[in-house]
Amino acid sequence: MSIRLSKLLDPPAMQVLTTHCPYCKHQVDSTIEHIDGPVVCPGCKKPFEIEMPTAVVSSVNEVDETKMDKRQMAAEPEERTLLQVHPVVFRARPIKTLVLGTVFLVAAALMILSVTETSIAGYSFAETTKLGPASLLTWACAITLLLIVGTVGYWILLSQFTTLTVTSDRTIFQKGLIARETSEVQHDDVRNIQLDQTFLQRMLGVGGIGISSSGQDDLEVVAKRLPHPEHIIDRIRQNQG
């Protein structure tokens, strides 16, 4: 006698057993709640009993966990990168940037006047202390321009090799051109977050943050010249346990 188990969706939800009468083969439906006693066939009116279906284990296979596909196993949610920032270059050094920019423009202008042998008020820049094919002023301006370009290039390179990454689980700070230094703090362990920002930095949207975790006296992550540090702190707070 075959028995089929189904479920009614209309409330109240009931599990229905469907079988056939062993006498007349008429289909008989009954609920699990009404199989304590014999069931009467609506066709031949003869009573018979319905046995509750049970699951039977037919075989057992051993599974090697090392060969299982990780996608088939329940796992923790993957770590997601929320934001990744580098220190800003010029906004973090407003006074130095202003000075270097002014010197650059003056040196470039003097160099052009010297090379083009332009005279202003009877004074020829090209005649200023000849040193080989070019004047001493030309060489001084060229060296000044190279130093400024080198300084700005170093700032940009230093910024690119300094990264603060905030994920759904932790904050990671990496810095260093040759020797690489990495510090990280789990968000669940964060005890204190400090914001270091002067009035001028606040106007320019720049600042530094320091993060310490429970069990540590010193700041484990110290990052300076970051853009919009308040937003970074908010992201960290939002992902704490």
Side-chain angles (χ1 to χ4, degrees):
M1 179 174 60
S2 63
I3 301 175
R4 185 178 62 195
L5 180 64
S6 60
K7 187 175 182 180
L8 294 178
L9 298 179
D10 294 334
M14 296 183 296
Q15 289 182 328
V16 177
L17 293 173
T18 301
T19 186
H20 292 84
C21 175
Y23 304 106
C24 65
K25 306 303 181 183
H26 190 279
Q27 179 174 314
V28 180
D29 294 333
S30 180
T31 62
I32 294 180
E33 292 79 3
H34 296 86
I35 63 173
D36 294 337
V39 178
V40 179
C41 174
C44 64
K45 305 301 180 181
K46 293 182 180 181
F48 66 93
E49 292 185 353
I50 299 178
E51 296 181 359
M52 183 67 182
T54 59
V56 179
V57 179
S58 59
S59 62
V60 178
N61 296 326
E62 294 184 359
V63 178
D64 187 354
E65 294 183 359
T66 60
K67 296 181 180 181
M68 290 185 64
D69 189 348
K70 293 182 179 179
R71 292 173 297 181
Q72 298 177 353
M73 302 176 61
E76 294 293 331
E78 294 185 359
E79 184 177 13
R80 296 173 292 109
T81 299
L82 303 178
L83 61 86
Q84 188 175 71
V85 296
H86 301 281
V88 294
V89 177
F90 301 110
R91 281 186 296 161
R93 308 172 177 88
I95 298 178
K96 292 181 179 180
T97 299
L98 181 61
V99 172
L100 289 182
T102 303
V103 174
F104 183 89
L105 293 177
V106 172
L110 291 177
M111 186 174 182
I112 293 174
L113 293 174
S114 178
V115 171
T116 57
E117 299 183 358
T118 303
S119 299
I120 298 179
Y123 178 79
S124 176
F125 291 91
E127 298 299 329
T128 305
T129 314
K130 283 287 186 178
L131 186 62
S135 67
L136 181 61
L137 179 61
T138 303
W139 285 106
C141 292
I143 294 174
T144 301
L145 294 176
L146 289 176
L147 289 176
I148 295 175
V149 171
T151 300
V152 174
Y154 174 75
W155 289 351
I156 296 175
L157 193 63
L158 189 63
S159 173
Q160 293 301 310
F161 279 84
T162 304
T163 308
L164 181 76
T165 304
V166 178
T167 73
S168 54
D169 298 330
R170 54 187 173 152
T171 298
I172 308 166
F173 181 63
Q174 295 177 312
K175 66 177 181 178
L177 296 177
I178 300 176
R180 198 70 168 161
E181 179 182 342
T182 302
S183 303
E184 67 176 66
V185 175
Q186 294 289 332
H187 291 164
D188 292 340
D189 298 331
V190 171
R191 180 187 64 182
N192 182 36
I193 302 180
Q194 296 181 4
L195 173 63
D196 183 13
Q197 193 176 45
T198 64
F199 177 76
L200 180 59
Q201 288 177 331
R202 184 177 180 183
M203 297 293 294
L204 297 174
V206 183
I209 63 173
I211 306 175
S212 63
S213 62
S214 56
Q216 298 291 333
D217 296 330
D218 299 330
L219 295 174
E220 296 176 73
V221 172
V222 178
K224 300 180 180 180
R225 304 187 180 98
L226 299 177
H228 307 293
E230 304 92 343
H231 298 166
I232 299 175
I233 294 176
D234 290 341
R235 278 299 185 92
I236 297 174
R237 293 296 190 193
Q238 291 170 4
N239 287 272
Q240 284 186 270

